[in-house]
Amino acid sequence: MTIRRLTNSERPATSFPLQAYAFEASPMRPERAEEFRSYLHYNEATRTLVAEEGGETLATASAIPMRQNLRGAVLPMAGVAGVATHPLARRQGHVRALLRQLLDEMRDEGHPLTALYPFRASFYERFGYVGLPRARTVAFAPADLAPLLRADLPGELAWGRSGTGYADHRAFTERCLAERHGFAVFPETRAVRQRDDDDRWQLTARIDGGTVGVLTYRIDEHGGELTGDDLLVADPYARALILQFLARHVDQVERVSLRIAADELPELWLTDLAVHVEARVARPGSPAPMARLLSLDALAGLPAGPGRVRVELTGDRWLAGAHLLDGATGRLELSGEATAGPVPAATLTAAGLSALAYGVLDPAEVDVRGLGRVPADAAAELRRLFPRRLPYLFADF
């Protein structure tokens, strides 16, 4: 077996058929194959590796160079996608070999973070990944938004096609990237597909001339459903402006559904608002995202509380060794040197450290989950260094 990197033009005959078999209805229709070819130029920045034997493609995996916010720092992130194996070559270690090389290459090129949507979470946990919250879907009747029609709200709305509004949408996602923990965006070469597809309506909320919220959506039919993508808002006024607009569809659609971040509480948006909130995680087909650190460089200088702990990193290809983590200055400092006096110590796997950095698990949960050995004194220090936070990945890949 050999592993090599594909050129973009090779993908339709090598990686695409395996990905289509793994993730789509199959056999693949000829017109769907042609769609793959028409989208090739959006993947110019994507790195795709294949495992081959005797001229046949056995497995494939790709990495999209992205950016992600980790506790306020925007860092390069490798979005792993399109991991697929030929049905006759599965469970033979091909994906493991591909992932090791793919992550080696992305780390060496300066990506200290990586995220993905797993086909099986336990498989990727062994690669040091830890689960992130899945975006919620909220559904409600527009009639329940009627009180907002009487509200005098600051700001204004712009409405049109998603292609025309793409620049505003992209600019606002860049703002979210700078402000929201866990938020990730595609490279521009891939993101512009939203502009070119132009297959949604876009609502843009502005206050004092600045964009404070965006929502793209579709309507399936009269009396049907208005289906929105991610509700991206900067504050409650922006959210109220968008919900007020949706309230005006009471005589057009029966139901509205939107994707929201895990920290949104739609049951508190309005009195008497009947909502159904769902975060469905299933295997296969509806995974929650996962992420991990590929380099300790991602932690240096992050905002941190006044904790101090020594961690021993074990069982990982990319994170290893003993390190002193110190947040006394308000910024995380890392050192591999010995320190005077007793310092609480913990042993962590890569998934355990990643869980703390992304803010998704308490140190005690890391211990309970078997992602490390965390004594009580070390847990107290780690809580100060890494307060719990809810990441919102946003990008779907």
Side-chain angles (χ1 to χ4, degrees):
M1 184 193 74
T2 60
I3 294 176
R4 69 181 182 92
R5 182 178 178 181
L6 294 182
T7 64
N8 214 22
S9 61
E10 289 179 289
R11 295 183 72 191
T14 52
S15 62
F16 281 172
L18 292 186
Q19 292 164 353
Y21 183 83
F23 302 114
E24 301 197 16
S26 63
M28 184 168 55
R29 296 174 287 106
E31 55 268 32
R32 181 58 176 150
E34 189 53 42
E35 284 181 41
F36 272 126
R37 292 186 182 91
S38 69
Y39 292 143
L40 269 178
H41 61 288
Y42 297 115
N43 297 312
E44 289 177 354
T46 299
R47 178 185 299 262
T48 298
L49 301 183
V50 291
E52 296 175 324
E53 190 173 83
E56 183 174 18
T57 304
L58 303 179
T60 181
S62 297
I64 309 161
M66 302 172 67
R67 289 170 293 144
Q68 185 179 32
N69 183 312
L70 181 68
R71 295 185 178 269
V74 177
L75 302 169
M77 184 270 278
V80 175
V83 179
T85 307
H86 191 288
L88 296 179
R90 291 176 177 174
R91 297 182 179 272
Q92 297 176 26
H94 302 311
V95 165
R96 289 181 178 84
L98 281 175
L99 282 175
R100 283 194 289 267
Q101 181 159 327
L102 185 65
L103 294 178
D104 278 349
E105 293 180 10
M106 297 305 288
R107 183 181 188 272
D108 291 346
E109 292 187 7
H111 294 79
L113 306 175
T114 174
L116 51 77
Y117 290 83
F119 63 84
R120 184 189 293 266
S122 58
F123 175 87
Y124 285 102
E125 187 177 83
R126 292 192 290 272
F127 272 88
Y129 286 86
V130 68
L132 304 184
R134 182 165 176 77
R136 272 59 175 153
T137 299
V138 57
F140 49 85
D144 282 356
L145 301 177
L148 283 173
L149 294 174
R150 300 187 295 273
D152 183 16
L153 300 172
E156 59 187 8
L157 295 171
W159 175 80
R161 294 288 289 267
S162 56
T164 304
Y166 170 75
D168 285 334
H169 192 281
R170 179 67 174 179
F172 192 69
T173 59
E174 289 283 347
R175 173 179 171 177
C176 293
L177 174 67
E179 297 176 354
R180 298 203 66 161
H181 170 56
F183 204 89
V185 298
F186 289 123
E188 181 69 14
T189 52
R190 176 156 173 157
V192 292
R193 181 174 168 182
Q194 178 175 317
R195 177 198 65 197
D196 299 343
D197 285 348
D198 193 24
D199 59 355
R200 287 164 167 76
W201 297 110
Q202 179 173 315
L203 188 65
T204 304
R206 297 190 179 98
I207 296 179
D208 296 330
T211 299
V212 292
V214 291
L215 174 69
T216 55
Y217 67 92
R218 292 171 170 169
I219 297 174
D220 60 358
E221 61 181 356
H222 184 74
E225 180 168 317
L226 185 155
T227 304
D229 299 308
D230 292 67
L231 176 64
L232 300 177
V233 293
D235 57 42
Y237 287 113
R239 184 178 62 221
L241 275 170
I242 291 176
L243 293 178
Q244 187 183 66
F245 172 85
L246 298 176
R248 301 187 185 111
H249 291 71
V250 63
D251 297 318
Q252 184 178 354
V253 298
E254 181 181 21
R255 169 183 157 111
V256 172
S257 67
L258 310 171
R259 278 168 49 101
I260 55 173
D263 58 0
E264 280 280 9
L265 300 174
E267 63 271 28
L268 303 182
W269 287 350
L270 285 171
T271 304
D272 291 335
L273 175 62
V275 297
H276 178 84
V277 184
E278 182 179 55
R280 181 176 181 270
V281 177
R283 177 176 58 81
S286 185
M290 303 183 80
R292 65 156 289 166
L293 308 179
L294 276 178
S295 170
L296 289 177
D297 292 344
L299 298 180
L302 291 184
R308 198 162 186 256
V309 64
R310 177 168 290 280
V311 297
E312 177 78 28
L313 300 175
T314 182
D316 188 65
R317 182 183 181 90
W318 299 282
L319 303 180
H323 305 271
L324 178 68
L325 308 184
D326 193 338
T329 65
R331 295 283 173 178
L332 190 59
E333 297 179 3
L334 293 86
S335 171
E337 299 177 359
T339 180
V343 177
T347 301
L348 298 173
T349 64
L353 181 62
S354 298
L356 297 172
Y358 278 94
V360 292
L361 294 181
D362 180 83
E365 292 173 308
V366 170
D367 193 88
V368 168
R369 292 268 300 271
L371 304 179
R373 296 191 301 276
V374 188
D377 57 349
E381 298 299 311
L382 287 167
R383 287 189 190 99
R384 296 186 185 99
L385 288 171
F386 300 109
R388 288 291 292 269
R389 299 192 67 175
L390 275 179
Y392 173 30
L393 184 60
F394 171 65
D396 196 355
F397 49 92

